[in-house]
Amino acid sequence: MKSTLLTVTAALLMLGASSAANAKGCIKGAIVGGVEGHYAGHHGVLGAAAGCLYGRHHAKEQEKQRQQQSQMNGQGKL
C-alpha cells in the first residue's frame, strides 16, 4: 500500500515538475493540503497531491481573469 502511494506521488510530482508554469500555486496548495490530509487521518501525501492540483487550478483561473481584465482595460471598456 505504501509503495503504491509513493509511486503515485512520485508520478504526480514528475508531471508537475515538467513545466515551470504549471508550478504556480502548487507549492502553497501542497503545503496546505498536506497539513489538512495529515490531520484528516494521516493522509498527508494524498492531501499534498490534491492541494497541488487545486492550487494549480486556482492559479490558472486567476491568470485567466487577469488576462481578461487587461484586455478590457486595453480596449477602453473599463
Side-chain angles (χ1 to χ4, degrees):
M1 173 77 176
K2 231 176 193 182
S3 63
T4 305
L5 185 62
L6 289 174
T7 304
V8 170
T9 303
L12 286 173
L13 289 174
M14 288 172 63
L15 287 173
S18 65
S19 161
N22 288 339
K24 188 180 271 188
C26 181
I27 306 259
K28 187 177 185 181
I31 291 170
V32 172
V35 170
E36 291 295 322
H38 173 72
Y39 284 114
H42 299 290
H43 297 292
V45 176
L46 289 175
C52 176
L53 292 174
Y54 176 75
R56 284 177 49 196
H57 170 72
H58 188 68
K60 285 180 184 179
E61 291 294 320
Q62 284 183 336
E63 184 63 30
K64 191 183 298 184
Q65 286 179 349
R66 277 189 225 121
Q67 286 178 354
Q68 288 175 351
Q69 287 178 350
S70 68
Q71 286 177 350
M72 288 175 56
N73 289 340
Q75 295 174 355
K77 294 182 181 179
L78 186 69

Short mmCIF file of all heavy atoms in Angstrom, two decimals:
data_model
loop_
_atom_site.label_atom_id
_atom_site.label_comp_id
_atom_site.label_asym_id
_atom_site.label_seq_id
_atom_site.Cartn_x
_atom_site.Cartn_y
_atom_site.Cartn_z
N MET A 1 0.83 -1.20 0.00
CA MET A 1 0.00 0.00 0.00
C MET A 1 0.86 1.25 0.00
O MET A 1 0.62 2.16 -0.77
CB MET A 1 -0.93 -0.05 1.23
CG MET A 1 -1.72 1.18 1.45
SD MET A 1 -3.10 1.24 0.29
CE MET A 1 -3.91 2.68 0.83
N LYS A 2 1.87 1.25 0.88
CA LYS A 2 2.72 2.43 0.97
C LYS A 2 3.56 2.61 -0.29
O LYS A 2 3.77 3.73 -0.74
CB LYS A 2 3.62 2.33 2.18
CG LYS A 2 3.58 3.55 3.03
CD LYS A 2 4.40 3.40 4.27
CE LYS A 2 4.04 4.53 5.19
NZ LYS A 2 4.77 4.54 6.40
N SER A 3 4.02 1.51 -0.87
CA SER A 3 4.83 1.62 -2.09
C SER A 3 3.99 2.11 -3.25
O SER A 3 4.47 2.87 -4.09
CB SER A 3 5.48 0.28 -2.42
OG SER A 3 4.49 -0.69 -2.71
N THR A 4 2.73 1.71 -3.32
CA THR A 4 1.84 2.20 -4.37
C THR A 4 1.61 3.69 -4.20
O THR A 4 1.63 4.44 -5.18
CB THR A 4 0.49 1.46 -4.31
OG1 THR A 4 0.73 0.07 -4.39
CG2 THR A 4 -0.42 1.89 -5.43
N LEU A 5 1.40 4.11 -2.99
CA LEU A 5 1.19 5.52 -2.71
C LEU A 5 2.42 6.35 -3.08
O LEU A 5 2.30 7.42 -3.68
CB LEU A 5 0.84 5.71 -1.23
CG LEU A 5 0.48 7.12 -0.79
CD1 LEU A 5 -0.77 7.59 -1.51
CD2 LEU A 5 0.25 7.13 0.70
N LEU A 6 3.59 5.83 -2.75
CA LEU A 6 4.82 6.53 -3.10
C LEU A 6 5.02 6.60 -4.60
O LEU A 6 5.47 7.62 -5.13
CB LEU A 6 6.02 5.86 -2.43
CG LEU A 6 6.10 6.03 -0.92
CD1 LEU A 6 7.23 5.20 -0.35
CD2 LEU A 6 6.30 7.48 -0.57
N THR A 7 4.67 5.55 -5.30
CA THR A 7 4.79 5.54 -6.76
C THR A 7 3.86 6.56 -7.40
O THR A 7 4.26 7.31 -8.29
CB THR A 7 4.48 4.13 -7.30
OG1 THR A 7 5.34 3.19 -6.67
CG2 THR A 7 4.67 4.07 -8.79
N VAL A 8 2.63 6.59 -6.93
CA VAL A 8 1.67 7.57 -7.47
C VAL A 8 2.12 8.99 -7.15
O VAL A 8 2.06 9.88 -8.01
CB VAL A 8 0.25 7.30 -6.89
CG1 VAL A 8 -0.70 8.42 -7.24
CG2 VAL A 8 -0.27 5.97 -7.40
N THR A 9 2.60 9.21 -5.96
CA THR A 9 3.09 10.54 -5.58
C THR A 9 4.27 10.95 -6.43
O THR A 9 4.34 12.09 -6.90
CB THR A 9 3.48 10.55 -4.09
OG1 THR A 9 2.35 10.15 -3.32
CG2 THR A 9 3.92 11.93 -3.66
N ALA A 10 5.20 10.04 -6.64
CA ALA A 10 6.36 10.34 -7.48
C ALA A 10 5.94 10.67 -8.90
O ALA A 10 6.46 11.61 -9.52
CB ALA A 10 7.34 9.17 -7.47
N ALA A 11 4.97 9.94 -9.43
CA ALA A 11 4.48 10.22 -10.78
C ALA A 11 3.83 11.59 -10.86
O ALA A 11 4.05 12.34 -11.82
CB ALA A 11 3.50 9.14 -11.21
N LEU A 12 3.02 11.93 -9.85
CA LEU A 12 2.40 13.26 -9.84
C LEU A 12 3.42 14.38 -9.74
O LEU A 12 3.29 15.41 -10.40
CB LEU A 12 1.40 13.36 -8.68
CG LEU A 12 0.10 12.59 -8.86
CD1 LEU A 12 -0.72 12.63 -7.57
CD2 LEU A 12 -0.70 13.16 -10.00
N LEU A 13 4.43 14.17 -8.93
CA LEU A 13 5.47 15.19 -8.79
C LEU A 13 6.26 15.35 -10.08
O LEU A 13 6.62 16.47 -10.46
CB LEU A 13 6.40 14.83 -7.63
CG LEU A 13 5.79 14.98 -6.24
CD1 LEU A 13 6.76 14.47 -5.18
CD2 LEU A 13 5.42 16.42 -5.97
N MET A 14 6.50 14.26 -10.78
CA MET A 14 7.23 14.35 -12.05
C MET A 14 6.40 15.08 -13.09
O MET A 14 6.91 15.88 -13.85
CB MET A 14 7.61 12.95 -12.53
CG MET A 14 8.71 12.32 -11.72
SD MET A 14 9.02 10.62 -12.13
CE MET A 14 9.56 10.75 -13.81
N LEU A 15 5.10 14.82 -13.12
CA LEU A 15 4.23 15.52 -14.06
C LEU A 15 4.15 17.00 -13.71
O LEU A 15 4.13 17.85 -14.59
CB LEU A 15 2.83 14.91 -14.04
CG LEU A 15 2.68 13.56 -14.70
CD1 LEU A 15 1.27 13.02 -14.47
CD2 LEU A 15 2.96 13.66 -16.19
N GLY A 16 4.09 17.30 -12.43
CA GLY A 16 4.01 18.70 -12.00
C GLY A 16 5.30 19.46 -12.22
O GLY A 16 5.30 20.67 -12.43
N ALA A 17 6.42 18.76 -12.22
CA ALA A 17 7.72 19.41 -12.41
C ALA A 17 8.11 19.54 -13.87
O ALA A 17 9.17 20.07 -14.19
CB ALA A 17 8.79 18.63 -11.66
N SER A 18 7.27 19.08 -14.77
CA SER A 18 7.63 19.10 -16.18
C SER A 18 7.67 20.51 -16.76
O SER A 18 8.32 20.75 -17.75
CB SER A 18 6.66 18.23 -16.98
OG SER A 18 5.37 18.79 -16.92
N SER A 19 7.00 21.44 -16.14
CA SER A 19 6.97 22.80 -16.65
C SER A 19 6.93 23.78 -15.48
O SER A 19 6.19 23.59 -14.53
CB SER A 19 5.73 22.97 -17.53
OG SER A 19 5.40 24.31 -17.68
N ALA A 20 7.71 24.85 -15.59
CA ALA A 20 7.74 25.83 -14.51
C ALA A 20 6.43 26.59 -14.40
O ALA A 20 6.03 26.99 -13.32
CB ALA A 20 8.89 26.80 -14.74
N ALA A 21 5.73 26.77 -15.51
CA ALA A 21 4.47 27.49 -15.49
C ALA A 21 3.40 26.73 -14.71
O ALA A 21 2.53 27.32 -14.10
CB ALA A 21 3.99 27.76 -16.91
N ASN A 22 3.46 25.42 -14.72
CA ASN A 22 2.48 24.62 -14.00
C ASN A 22 2.71 24.63 -12.50
O ASN A 22 1.85 24.20 -11.75
CB ASN A 22 2.49 23.19 -14.51
CG ASN A 22 1.90 23.06 -15.89
OD1 ASN A 22 1.15 23.92 -16.32
ND2 ASN A 22 2.25 22.01 -16.58
N ALA A 23 3.88 25.06 -12.07
CA ALA A 23 4.19 25.02 -10.64
C ALA A 23 3.55 26.17 -9.87
O ALA A 23 3.51 26.14 -8.65
CB ALA A 23 5.70 25.05 -10.44
N LYS A 24 3.05 27.16 -10.58
CA LYS A 24 2.44 28.30 -9.90
C LYS A 24 1.23 27.84 -9.11
O LYS A 24 0.29 27.27 -9.65
CB LYS A 24 2.03 29.36 -10.92
CG LYS A 24 1.57 30.66 -10.28
CD LYS A 24 1.18 31.66 -11.33
CE LYS A 24 2.40 32.46 -11.71
NZ LYS A 24 2.06 33.58 -12.58
N GLY A 25 1.24 28.07 -7.82
CA GLY A 25 0.14 27.69 -6.94
C GLY A 25 0.29 26.30 -6.35
O GLY A 25 -0.37 25.96 -5.39
N CYS A 26 1.16 25.49 -6.91
CA CYS A 26 1.29 24.10 -6.47
C CYS A 26 1.92 24.01 -5.08
O CYS A 26 1.45 23.24 -4.25
CB CYS A 26 2.12 23.30 -7.47
SG CYS A 26 2.31 21.57 -7.04
N ILE A 27 2.95 24.77 -4.83
CA ILE A 27 3.67 24.66 -3.56
C ILE A 27 2.76 25.05 -2.40
O ILE A 27 2.65 24.32 -1.41
CB ILE A 27 4.92 25.57 -3.57
CG1 ILE A 27 5.77 25.27 -4.77
CG2 ILE A 27 5.66 25.50 -2.25
CD1 ILE A 27 6.96 24.44 -4.58
N LYS A 28 2.09 26.17 -2.53
CA LYS A 28 1.20 26.64 -1.47
C LYS A 28 0.07 25.65 -1.24
O LYS A 28 -0.25 25.30 -0.11
CB LYS A 28 0.64 28.00 -1.86
CG LYS A 28 -0.16 28.69 -0.80
CD LYS A 28 -0.58 30.05 -1.31
CE LYS A 28 -1.29 30.87 -0.27
NZ LYS A 28 -1.70 32.16 -0.81
N GLY A 29 -0.52 25.15 -2.33
CA GLY A 29 -1.60 24.17 -2.21
C GLY A 29 -1.13 22.87 -1.61
O GLY A 29 -1.84 22.23 -0.83
N ALA A 30 0.09 22.44 -1.96
CA ALA A 30 0.62 21.19 -1.43
C ALA A 30 0.87 21.29 0.07
O ALA A 30 0.61 20.34 0.81
CB ALA A 30 1.91 20.82 -2.16
N ILE A 31 1.35 22.43 0.51
CA ILE A 31 1.59 22.61 1.95
C ILE A 31 0.28 22.56 2.72
O ILE A 31 0.14 21.82 3.70
CB ILE A 31 2.34 23.94 2.21
CG1 ILE A 31 3.76 23.84 1.67
CG2 ILE A 31 2.35 24.27 3.70
CD1 ILE A 31 4.50 25.15 1.66
N VAL A 32 -0.70 23.32 2.26
CA VAL A 32 -1.99 23.35 2.95
C VAL A 32 -2.66 21.98 2.88
O VAL A 32 -3.17 21.47 3.88
CB VAL A 32 -2.90 24.44 2.34
CG1 VAL A 32 -4.31 24.36 2.91
CG2 VAL A 32 -2.31 25.81 2.58
N GLY A 33 -2.65 21.36 1.70
CA GLY A 33 -3.26 20.04 1.55
C GLY A 33 -2.57 18.97 2.37
O GLY A 33 -3.22 18.08 2.91
N GLY A 34 -1.25 19.05 2.46
CA GLY A 34 -0.51 18.08 3.26
C GLY A 34 -0.85 18.17 4.73
O GLY A 34 -1.02 17.15 5.41
N VAL A 35 -0.96 19.38 5.23
CA VAL A 35 -1.31 19.57 6.65
C VAL A 35 -2.73 19.08 6.89
O VAL A 35 -3.00 18.34 7.86
CB VAL A 35 -1.15 21.05 7.05
CG1 VAL A 35 -1.74 21.31 8.43
CG2 VAL A 35 0.32 21.44 7.01
N GLU A 36 -3.66 19.47 6.02
CA GLU A 36 -5.05 19.03 6.19
C GLU A 36 -5.16 17.52 6.07
O GLU A 36 -5.89 16.88 6.83
CB GLU A 36 -5.95 19.70 5.15
CG GLU A 36 -6.13 21.18 5.37
CD GLU A 36 -6.87 21.49 6.65
OE1 GLU A 36 -7.82 20.74 7.01
OE2 GLU A 36 -6.52 22.46 7.31
N GLY A 37 -4.46 16.93 5.12
CA GLY A 37 -4.51 15.48 4.96
C GLY A 37 -3.94 14.75 6.16
O GLY A 37 -4.44 13.70 6.56
N HIS A 38 -2.90 15.31 6.75
CA HIS A 38 -2.31 14.70 7.93
C HIS A 38 -3.30 14.67 9.09
O HIS A 38 -3.45 13.66 9.77
CB HIS A 38 -1.04 15.47 8.34
CG HIS A 38 -0.46 15.00 9.63
ND1 HIS A 38 0.19 13.80 9.75
CD2 HIS A 38 -0.46 15.56 10.87
CE1 HIS A 38 0.59 13.65 11.01
NE2 HIS A 38 0.20 14.71 11.70
N TYR A 39 -3.98 15.78 9.31
CA TYR A 39 -4.93 15.84 10.42
C TYR A 39 -6.22 15.10 10.11
O TYR A 39 -6.96 14.76 11.02
CB TYR A 39 -5.23 17.29 10.78
CG TYR A 39 -4.09 17.92 11.55
CD1 TYR A 39 -3.37 18.96 11.01
CD2 TYR A 39 -3.73 17.46 12.81
CE1 TYR A 39 -2.31 19.53 11.70
CE2 TYR A 39 -2.68 18.02 13.50
CZ TYR A 39 -1.98 19.05 12.94
OH TYR A 39 -0.93 19.60 13.63
N ALA A 40 -6.50 14.83 8.85
CA ALA A 40 -7.74 14.14 8.48
C ALA A 40 -7.58 12.63 8.46
O ALA A 40 -8.44 11.93 7.96
CB ALA A 40 -8.22 14.63 7.12
N GLY A 41 -6.50 12.12 8.94
CA GLY A 41 -6.35 10.67 9.01
C GLY A 41 -5.01 10.18 8.51
O GLY A 41 -4.93 9.10 7.95
N HIS A 42 -3.98 10.97 8.69
CA HIS A 42 -2.62 10.60 8.30
C HIS A 42 -2.50 10.31 6.80
O HIS A 42 -1.88 9.35 6.38
CB HIS A 42 -2.12 9.41 9.12
CG HIS A 42 -2.07 9.71 10.58
ND1 HIS A 42 -1.16 10.59 11.12
CD2 HIS A 42 -2.84 9.29 11.61
CE1 HIS A 42 -1.37 10.68 12.43
NE2 HIS A 42 -2.38 9.91 12.74
N HIS A 43 -3.12 11.15 5.99
CA HIS A 43 -3.04 11.05 4.54
C HIS A 43 -2.39 12.31 3.99
O HIS A 43 -2.90 12.94 3.06
CB HIS A 43 -4.42 10.85 3.92
CG HIS A 43 -5.09 9.59 4.35
ND1 HIS A 43 -4.63 8.36 3.97
CD2 HIS A 43 -6.16 9.37 5.14
CE1 HIS A 43 -5.40 7.43 4.50
NE2 HIS A 43 -6.33 8.02 5.21
N GLY A 44 -1.26 12.68 4.56
CA GLY A 44 -0.59 13.91 4.17
C GLY A 44 -0.15 13.94 2.73
O GLY A 44 -0.24 14.96 2.06
N VAL A 45 0.32 12.80 2.21
CA VAL A 45 0.80 12.76 0.82
C VAL A 45 -0.37 12.94 -0.15
O VAL A 45 -0.27 13.70 -1.11
CB VAL A 45 1.54 11.44 0.55
CG1 VAL A 45 1.96 11.34 -0.89
CG2 VAL A 45 2.76 11.32 1.45
N LEU A 46 -1.46 12.27 0.13
CA LEU A 46 -2.63 12.44 -0.73
C LEU A 46 -3.16 13.87 -0.65
O LEU A 46 -3.56 14.45 -1.66
CB LEU A 46 -3.74 11.46 -0.33
CG LEU A 46 -3.50 10.00 -0.66
CD1 LEU A 46 -4.61 9.14 -0.09
CD2 LEU A 46 -3.40 9.81 -2.15
N GLY A 47 -3.16 14.43 0.54
CA GLY A 47 -3.60 15.82 0.70
C GLY A 47 -2.69 16.78 -0.03
O GLY A 47 -3.16 17.74 -0.64
N ALA A 48 -1.38 16.52 0.00
CA ALA A 48 -0.44 17.38 -0.70
C ALA A 48 -0.65 17.31 -2.21
O ALA A 48 -0.61 18.32 -2.91
CB ALA A 48 0.99 17.00 -0.35
N ALA A 49 -0.88 16.11 -2.73
CA ALA A 49 -1.12 15.95 -4.16
C ALA A 49 -2.41 16.67 -4.58
O ALA A 49 -2.45 17.38 -5.59
CB ALA A 49 -1.18 14.48 -4.53
N ALA A 50 -3.45 16.48 -3.80
CA ALA A 50 -4.72 17.14 -4.10
C ALA A 50 -4.60 18.66 -3.97
O ALA A 50 -5.12 19.42 -4.80
CB ALA A 50 -5.82 16.63 -3.18
N GLY A 51 -3.88 19.11 -2.95
CA GLY A 51 -3.67 20.54 -2.77
C GLY A 51 -2.88 21.15 -3.90
O GLY A 51 -3.15 22.28 -4.34
N CYS A 52 -1.90 20.43 -4.40
CA CYS A 52 -1.11 20.90 -5.54
C CYS A 52 -2.00 21.05 -6.77
O CYS A 52 -1.93 22.07 -7.46
CB CYS A 52 0.03 19.92 -5.82
SG CYS A 52 1.00 20.36 -7.28
N LEU A 53 -2.83 20.06 -7.04
CA LEU A 53 -3.72 20.14 -8.20
C LEU A 53 -4.71 21.30 -8.06
O LEU A 53 -4.95 22.03 -9.02
CB LEU A 53 -4.47 18.82 -8.37
CG LEU A 53 -3.61 17.63 -8.80
CD1 LEU A 53 -4.44 16.35 -8.80
CD2 LEU A 53 -3.01 17.87 -10.16
N TYR A 54 -5.26 21.47 -6.87
CA TYR A 54 -6.19 22.58 -6.66
C TYR A 54 -5.48 23.92 -6.78
O TYR A 54 -6.02 24.87 -7.37
CB TYR A 54 -6.88 22.48 -5.30
CG TYR A 54 -7.76 23.67 -5.04
CD1 TYR A 54 -8.98 23.79 -5.69
CD2 TYR A 54 -7.36 24.70 -4.20
CE1 TYR A 54 -9.78 24.88 -5.49
CE2 TYR A 54 -8.15 25.81 -4.00
CZ TYR A 54 -9.36 25.89 -4.65
OH TYR A 54 -10.14 27.00 -4.46
N GLY A 55 -4.27 24.00 -6.23
CA GLY A 55 -3.51 25.24 -6.31
C GLY A 55 -3.21 25.63 -7.75
O GLY A 55 -3.28 26.81 -8.12
N ARG A 56 -2.86 24.65 -8.57
CA ARG A 56 -2.61 24.92 -9.98
C ARG A 56 -3.87 25.41 -10.67
O ARG A 56 -3.85 26.34 -11.46
CB ARG A 56 -2.09 23.66 -10.68
CG ARG A 56 -0.65 23.36 -10.35
CD ARG A 56 -0.16 22.10 -10.97
NE ARG A 56 -0.47 21.99 -12.38
CZ ARG A 56 -0.41 20.87 -13.07
NH1 ARG A 56 -0.05 19.76 -12.48
NH2 ARG A 56 -0.71 20.84 -14.35
N HIS A 57 -5.00 24.74 -10.38
CA HIS A 57 -6.28 25.14 -10.97
C HIS A 57 -6.64 26.57 -10.59
O HIS A 57 -7.02 27.38 -11.44
CB HIS A 57 -7.37 24.17 -10.52
CG HIS A 57 -8.75 24.62 -10.88
ND1 HIS A 57 -9.22 24.60 -12.17
CD2 HIS A 57 -9.75 25.13 -10.11
CE1 HIS A 57 -10.46 25.08 -12.18
NE2 HIS A 57 -10.79 25.40 -10.94
N HIS A 58 -6.48 26.88 -9.31
CA HIS A 58 -6.82 28.22 -8.82
C HIS A 58 -5.91 29.28 -9.46
O HIS A 58 -6.38 30.35 -9.84
CB HIS A 58 -6.71 28.24 -7.30
CG HIS A 58 -7.20 29.50 -6.67
ND1 HIS A 58 -8.53 29.86 -6.68
CD2 HIS A 58 -6.54 30.50 -6.04
CE1 HIS A 58 -8.67 31.02 -6.07
NE2 HIS A 58 -7.48 31.43 -5.67
N ALA A 59 -4.63 28.98 -9.59
CA ALA A 59 -3.70 29.93 -10.20
C ALA A 59 -4.04 30.16 -11.68
O ALA A 59 -3.95 31.29 -12.17
CB ALA A 59 -2.27 29.42 -10.07
N LYS A 60 -4.44 29.11 -12.37
CA LYS A 60 -4.83 29.26 -13.78
C LYS A 60 -6.07 30.13 -13.91
O LYS A 60 -6.17 30.95 -14.82
CB LYS A 60 -5.08 27.90 -14.42
CG LYS A 60 -3.83 27.14 -14.72
CD LYS A 60 -4.16 25.80 -15.36
CE LYS A 60 -2.93 24.98 -15.60
NZ LYS A 60 -3.24 23.68 -16.20
N GLU A 61 -7.04 29.93 -13.02
CA GLU A 61 -8.26 30.75 -13.05
C GLU A 61 -7.94 32.22 -12.79
O GLU A 61 -8.48 33.10 -13.45
CB GLU A 61 -9.27 30.23 -12.02
CG GLU A 61 -9.86 28.89 -12.37
CD GLU A 61 -10.72 28.95 -13.62
OE1 GLU A 61 -11.46 29.92 -13.81
OE2 GLU A 61 -10.63 27.99 -14.42
N GLN A 62 -7.07 32.49 -11.81
CA GLN A 62 -6.70 33.87 -11.53
C GLN A 62 -5.97 34.50 -12.71
O GLN A 62 -6.21 35.66 -13.05
CB GLN A 62 -5.82 33.94 -10.29
CG GLN A 62 -6.57 33.77 -9.01
CD GLN A 62 -5.67 33.92 -7.80
OE1 GLN A 62 -4.46 33.71 -7.88
NE2 GLN A 62 -6.26 34.26 -6.67
N GLU A 63 -5.09 33.74 -13.36
CA GLU A 63 -4.36 34.25 -14.52
C GLU A 63 -5.33 34.55 -15.67
O GLU A 63 -5.19 35.56 -16.35
CB GLU A 63 -3.30 33.24 -14.97
CG GLU A 63 -2.45 33.73 -16.11
CD GLU A 63 -1.63 34.95 -15.76
OE1 GLU A 63 -1.25 35.11 -14.59
OE2 GLU A 63 -1.37 35.76 -16.67
N LYS A 64 -6.32 33.70 -15.85
CA LYS A 64 -7.31 33.92 -16.90
C LYS A 64 -8.10 35.20 -16.63
O LYS A 64 -8.35 35.99 -17.54
CB LYS A 64 -8.27 32.73 -16.97
CG LYS A 64 -9.15 32.72 -18.19
CD LYS A 64 -10.14 31.57 -18.17
CE LYS A 64 -9.44 30.24 -18.19
NZ LYS A 64 -10.39 29.10 -18.27
N GLN A 65 -8.46 35.43 -15.36
CA GLN A 65 -9.18 36.65 -15.01
C GLN A 65 -8.33 37.89 -15.22
O GLN A 65 -8.80 38.91 -15.71
CB GLN A 65 -9.65 36.59 -13.55
CG GLN A 65 -10.81 35.67 -13.33
CD GLN A 65 -11.24 35.61 -11.88
OE1 GLN A 65 -10.53 36.11 -10.99
NE2 GLN A 65 -12.37 34.99 -11.62
N ARG A 66 -7.03 37.80 -14.87
CA ARG A 66 -6.14 38.93 -15.09
C ARG A 66 -6.00 39.25 -16.56
O ARG A 66 -5.97 40.42 -16.95
CB ARG A 66 -4.75 38.64 -14.49
CG ARG A 66 -4.68 38.93 -13.04
CD ARG A 66 -3.24 38.84 -12.54
NE ARG A 66 -3.27 38.09 -11.30
CZ ARG A 66 -2.65 36.97 -11.04
NH1 ARG A 66 -1.85 36.43 -11.92
NH2 ARG A 66 -2.78 36.37 -9.89
N GLN A 67 -5.92 38.24 -17.39
CA GLN A 67 -5.80 38.47 -18.84
C GLN A 67 -7.06 39.11 -19.39
O GLN A 67 -6.99 40.01 -20.22
CB GLN A 67 -5.52 37.15 -19.55
CG GLN A 67 -4.12 36.65 -19.37
CD GLN A 67 -3.90 35.31 -20.05
OE1 GLN A 67 -4.82 34.71 -20.57
NE2 GLN A 67 -2.65 34.85 -20.03
N GLN A 68 -8.22 38.66 -18.93
CA GLN A 68 -9.47 39.26 -19.39
C GLN A 68 -9.57 40.72 -18.96
O GLN A 68 -10.00 41.57 -19.73
CB GLN A 68 -10.66 38.47 -18.87
CG GLN A 68 -10.83 37.13 -19.52
CD GLN A 68 -11.95 36.31 -18.89
OE1 GLN A 68 -12.49 36.68 -17.85
NE2 GLN A 68 -12.28 35.20 -19.52
N GLN A 69 -9.15 41.03 -17.74
CA GLN A 69 -9.20 42.41 -17.26
C GLN A 69 -8.23 43.29 -18.02
O GLN A 69 -8.54 44.42 -18.34
CB GLN A 69 -8.91 42.47 -15.77
CG GLN A 69 -10.04 41.95 -14.91
CD GLN A 69 -9.70 41.97 -13.44
OE1 GLN A 69 -8.56 42.19 -13.05
NE2 GLN A 69 -10.71 41.70 -12.62
N SER A 70 -7.05 42.76 -18.33
CA SER A 70 -6.07 43.57 -19.07
C SER A 70 -6.55 43.81 -20.49
O SER A 70 -6.32 44.88 -21.06
CB SER A 70 -4.69 42.91 -19.05
OG SER A 70 -4.70 41.72 -19.81
N GLN A 71 -7.24 42.86 -21.09
CA GLN A 71 -7.78 43.06 -22.42
C GLN A 71 -8.88 44.12 -22.41
O GLN A 71 -8.97 44.96 -23.29
CB GLN A 71 -8.33 41.75 -22.99
CG GLN A 71 -7.27 40.79 -23.42
CD GLN A 71 -7.84 39.47 -23.90
OE1 GLN A 71 -9.04 39.20 -23.75
NE2 GLN A 71 -6.99 38.63 -24.47
N MET A 72 -9.72 44.05 -21.37
CA MET A 72 -10.79 45.05 -21.27
C MET A 72 -10.22 46.45 -21.03
O MET A 72 -10.68 47.41 -21.61
CB MET A 72 -11.76 44.67 -20.14
CG MET A 72 -12.62 43.48 -20.49
SD MET A 72 -13.67 42.93 -19.14
CE MET A 72 -14.58 44.39 -18.74
N ASN A 73 -9.20 46.56 -20.20
CA ASN A 73 -8.60 47.86 -19.93
C ASN A 73 -7.86 48.38 -21.16
O ASN A 73 -7.85 49.57 -21.42
CB ASN A 73 -7.63 47.77 -18.75
CG ASN A 73 -8.37 47.58 -17.44
OD1 ASN A 73 -9.55 47.86 -17.34
ND2 ASN A 73 -7.68 47.06 -16.45
N GLY A 74 -7.26 47.50 -21.92
CA GLY A 74 -6.53 47.90 -23.12
C GLY A 74 -7.45 48.38 -24.22
O GLY A 74 -7.08 49.17 -25.07
N GLN A 75 -8.70 47.93 -24.24
CA GLN A 75 -9.65 48.32 -25.26
C GLN A 75 -10.51 49.52 -24.83
O GLN A 75 -11.35 49.99 -25.57
CB GLN A 75 -10.57 47.16 -25.61
CG GLN A 75 -9.84 46.00 -26.24
CD GLN A 75 -10.75 44.80 -26.45
OE1 GLN A 75 -11.90 44.80 -26.03
NE2 GLN A 75 -10.22 43.77 -27.07
N GLY A 76 -10.30 50.00 -23.62
CA GLY A 76 -11.04 51.16 -23.14
C GLY A 76 -12.44 50.82 -22.67
O GLY A 76 -13.29 51.69 -22.59
N LYS A 77 -12.72 49.59 -22.34
CA LYS A 77 -14.05 49.17 -21.90
C LYS A 77 -14.15 49.04 -20.39
O LYS A 77 -14.97 48.32 -19.89
CB LYS A 77 -14.40 47.82 -22.53
CG LYS A 77 -14.56 47.87 -24.00
CD LYS A 77 -14.97 46.49 -24.51
CE LYS A 77 -15.11 46.48 -25.99
NZ LYS A 77 -15.47 45.14 -26.46
N LEU A 78 -13.34 49.68 -19.67
CA LEU A 78 -13.28 49.58 -18.21
C LEU A 78 -14.63 49.51 -17.64
O LEU A 78 -15.31 48.88 -17.13
CB LEU A 78 -12.56 50.80 -17.62
CG LEU A 78 -12.32 50.74 -16.14
CD1 LEU A 78 -11.29 49.68 -15.82
CD2 LEU A 78 -11.86 52.08 -15.65
#
